[in-house]
Each structure stands twice: as C-alpha cells, then as structure tokens.
Amino acid sequence: MADTSVATGLTVEQWDDKYFREYIQEMPFKGESGTGENNIIQVKEDLMSKKGSTVHYALLNRLTGAGVTGTSTLEGNEEALDTRSQAVSVIKRRNAVRVPEQDEQYSAVSLREAAKVGLKDWSIENTRDRILTAMHSINGVAYGSASEANKDAWLVDNADRVLFGAAISNNSSNDHSASLANIDNTNDQLTSSAASLMKRIALTASPKIRPVRVKGMNRRYYCAYVHPLVMRDLKTDTVITAAQREVSVREQNNKLFEGGDIVWDGIIFKEVDDMPLLAGVGAAGIQVSPVFFCGAQAVAHAINRRWYSTEEVFDYGDKHGCAINAFDGFEKLRFGTGSGDTDDLKDHGMVTGYFAAVADS
C-alpha cells in the first residue's frame, strides 16, 4: 500500500499565505498604501493581468478658468484639459537561502524555517528601503548618485516644495549644497512651527499637495516620515508635548496611526528607522536628515506580482533552497509643468524638508 504525501506546492502556498499576512502587518508603510488616488502610495496592478513592463500614471490638472455667466456664449470658450503622465517600470527582484541536509541535522534550530523568517524580514526591509529611495530621488535618480547639477536643477523646479530648516530664506538661490549648509543645530531642528510651515507650503504650492482624506471622519491629514534623531528633537517641543494629550482615541484607531506616532496641526509624524542621513552637509559640518512630508499620490507602486516564495532541491536532494520573489517598481510621482508632458518636473505629492539630525552625545 502506498503512502500519500503532501505535494511540495501545497506546502509553499501555506507558507505564502502566512507570510503575506505577516508582511502586511509589519510593513512600515502599510496604512498609506492603496489603489485609490487618496493614498500616499498609490498602487497600480494593471500588469498583474496584462503583459508589459511599464504602467503609466495620469494626472488631470484642475480647471482654473472663470467660465461664462449670464447670456455669454460658452461655445468657443471651452477650457482645455491639462493632462500629464509618468511611466513606472517593474523589474523582478529576489533573494534565496540554500541549506545542506547535514547542516539541517546538526543545527539546534530548523535552518529552513530560519531561512523563511530571514527572507520575510529581508523583503520587508527591501520594500521599505526602495520606498525611501524613491522619496529622496532626484527626478528618478537615487539621491546618492545624483550630481550637484542634478540637485540644483531639481531644486529650481521644486523650490515651492522644498524647505531647508526652519526658514524659507535658507534656500540660497536654489543652490542645493549651499542651502543645506545654512541648516544649524540651534534654529533648524524640526519643531511645531517648522511643521506648520511645511503644511502651509504644501497648501500654497502650485500645484498644491493634496492631504489624505480619512473616510468617515471628515478629516484631512499629511504624513511626515522622519529619522529617530529628528523625532527626538520634535518630541522636546513644548507645543507638541501638550498637543499629544489632546489626540483622541478615535484618531488613534485610524489605520494611518501607529503606536508612537505624533499628530500636530493635521500632520502625522512617523518615525522610520532607516531614513537617510547626510553627514557633514549642515552648518559647521553637522548631520542633516530629510523629512518626507507627504500628501496623496506621493509615491507610485506598480505591481506585476507581489512577494511570493519558491522552493528548490539541489544536488540529488541534499540541499534545499527557499527563495522570495517580487516583480514590481517604486517611483516618486512627478509630473511636468512646462510646455511638454514631462518638462520641468515637480514632485507631485511631497514637500521635502531638511533638518538638523545631530547624533546623541
């Protein structure tokens, strides 16, 4: 009589189901992602059912004309729609661990299970890092790879949505490095007043940056992602300290909130461990960190296939491998403001702030 064995594919699917639930729970940007235009990270799943390498995000700018009144003729006075687009490409990425049978036998812990845990953590961190890289990118180029000329050109087009420290006047004629050098550790820490300034910048920029509307609460929020050193300074602001006592339980139960978040003036501040640090760029060589102040449609996430697992057996069954795979792409959403579709690009849903982030002594 033959024994019935469980097919390998079924085992993988069981792990996939558990992994995906844990991944969603632990992903730092879980509350801000969704397929609608009211999400900070807007997901498009077109390529999950279609062939192709690229998804196009469309922007329809609001109408600004005065229209006609009374008996004035409307025919011939129609207003043209201003449409823009951005392409976001997907690419496959993966990682794997392979374990020999002998090592599995000798180990006090299950190396195969440890590999799955390690791969899950890697995929979460990889996703987080790619989102942060996209947020800090300079017209599609990673910040660390962008030249000073690239950064200056970006600042020229985005001067109405970039803040260096606590004052707009810290911008030195759209010279990126010179503007960073104006940030000091006395006046340019993140405070409640600087946060409110970023909000005013978002609301008065052209085009303005839309806050996220919270369904059922008639509330609008921006989210600001900050380094722990920047959050440390924000927490010492007496206005912020007092405001935290006023945060309602209803607000804290909203999916945008997590434990430890700070809310002030319609802004949710979220601490992100691996935010970039720019060493030696501030006044007197201090360390500076960006603050990503986000409204709706700040980042695009195009998906062909979400994270999934695969297993493989090598060397006549001696070695077992487990891999994690994804087929997607992240980009900061930016749309042209010049005569051509992609001329004079502006970051669509984000104010980028730079603040002092001096290490603890």
Side-chain angles (χ1 to χ4, degrees):
M1 180 180 294
D3 292 334
T4 300
S5 59
V6 178
T8 303
L10 294 178
T11 305
V12 175
E13 287 299 323
Q14 290 172 4
W15 182 64
D16 272 358
D17 290 345
K18 180 182 178 183
Y19 157 78
F20 192 69
R21 288 194 301 271
E22 292 176 345
Y23 173 84
I24 292 299
Q25 291 169 358
E26 297 178 21
M27 218 281 281
F29 298 93
K30 64 179 181 294
E32 297 91 279
S33 298
T35 56
E37 295 181 354
N38 191 46
N39 292 278
I40 291 172
I41 301 174
Q42 186 182 6
V43 178
K44 279 193 175 290
E45 301 173 330
D46 303 47
L47 296 178
M48 296 182 72
S49 58
K50 302 175 184 177
K51 295 286 187 180
S53 62
T54 304
V55 171
H56 291 273
Y57 281 71
L59 171 68
L60 175 63
N61 283 321
R62 64 189 182 94
L63 296 173
T64 58
V68 299
T69 58
T71 60
S72 299
T73 302
L74 180 59
E75 184 177 352
N77 291 303
E78 298 88 354
E79 184 174 354
L81 292 172
D82 182 18
T83 58
R84 305 283 176 160
S85 68
Q86 180 180 346
V88 181
S89 298
V90 297
I91 190 171
K92 188 170 184 178
R93 65 192 68 251
R94 51 188 178 157
N95 200 359
V97 174
R98 184 159 61 177
V99 179
E101 184 178 10
Q102 179 173 282
D103 289 342
E104 177 74 12
Q105 174 62 31
Y106 289 173
S107 175
V109 298
S110 171
L111 294 179
R112 292 191 212 176
E113 290 304 314
K116 292 177 180 179
V117 172
L119 288 169
K120 182 196 76 172
D121 292 343
W122 176 85
S123 66
I124 292 171
E125 293 174 356
N126 179 266
T127 302
R128 175 206 62 203
D129 292 346
R130 287 189 290 136
I131 292 173
L132 293 176
T133 297
M135 287 180 171
H136 204 202
S137 62
I138 303 296
N139 287 337
V141 179
Y143 186 89
S145 301
S147 67
E148 283 302 310
N150 294 148
K151 295 171 185 175
D152 291 348
W154 167 79
L155 184 53
V156 168
D157 290 333
N158 289 274
D160 65 339
R161 58 197 65 216
V162 179
L163 177 65
F164 295 93
I168 293 174
S169 58
N170 281 338
N171 182 333
S172 292
S173 302
N174 292 327
D175 184 316
H176 191 271
S177 59
S179 301
L180 287 173
N182 290 328
I183 298 172
D184 66 50
N185 196 38
T186 301
N187 301 307
D188 298 310
Q189 295 178 354
L190 181 59
T191 62
S192 57
S193 60
S196 292
L197 175 57
M198 282 194 289
K199 180 179 178 179
R200 292 194 297 276
I201 288 172
L203 290 172
T204 58
S206 180
K208 74 176 184 178
I209 296 165
R210 292 187 297 111
V212 175
R213 289 177 170 80
V214 180
K215 186 177 181 181
M217 290 181 61
N218 195 28
R219 298 294 301 273
R220 304 187 306 166
Y221 288 103
Y222 290 102
C223 279
Y225 303 97
V226 303
H227 190 279
L229 293 172
V230 176
M231 183 70 95
R232 172 204 63 192
D233 296 334
L234 183 65
K235 286 178 177 178
T236 64
D237 186 292
T238 55
V239 176
I240 292 292
T241 302
Q244 293 320 288
R245 294 192 290 268
E246 308 302 324
V247 179
S248 71
V249 173
R250 184 184 181 192
E251 288 175 327
Q252 292 285 20
N253 286 336
N254 185 270
K255 73 168 188 173
L256 288 173
F257 286 91
E258 294 178 352
D261 290 347
I262 288 176
V263 61
W264 158 252
D265 193 19
I267 309 161
I268 305 169
F269 295 90
K270 292 178 175 286
E271 185 176 88
V272 181
D273 296 350
D274 287 80
M275 285 284 292
L277 284 171
L278 308 179
V281 299
I286 68 165
Q287 188 168 249
V288 170
S289 181
V291 169
F292 302 134
F293 186 98
C294 297
Q297 292 181 296
V299 175
H301 184 196
I303 300 176
N304 168 262
R305 197 168 178 190
R306 300 180 186 276
W307 288 107
Y308 64 98
S309 69
T310 51
E311 292 186 4
E312 188 66 82
V313 178
F314 306 90
D315 194 15
Y316 294 94
D318 180 64
K319 297 175 179 64
H320 294 259
C322 181
I324 198 80
N325 314 257
F327 208 152
D328 64 355
F330 287 98
E331 289 278 357
K332 177 164 58 175
L333 276 169
R334 54 197 188 278
F335 294 105
T337 57
S339 56
D341 184 15
T342 57
D343 292 342
D344 304 326
L345 293 168
K346 279 194 177 186
D347 297 346
H348 178 63
M350 184 187 307
V351 173
T352 303
Y354 293 94
F355 291 90
V358 175
D360 295 316
S361 59

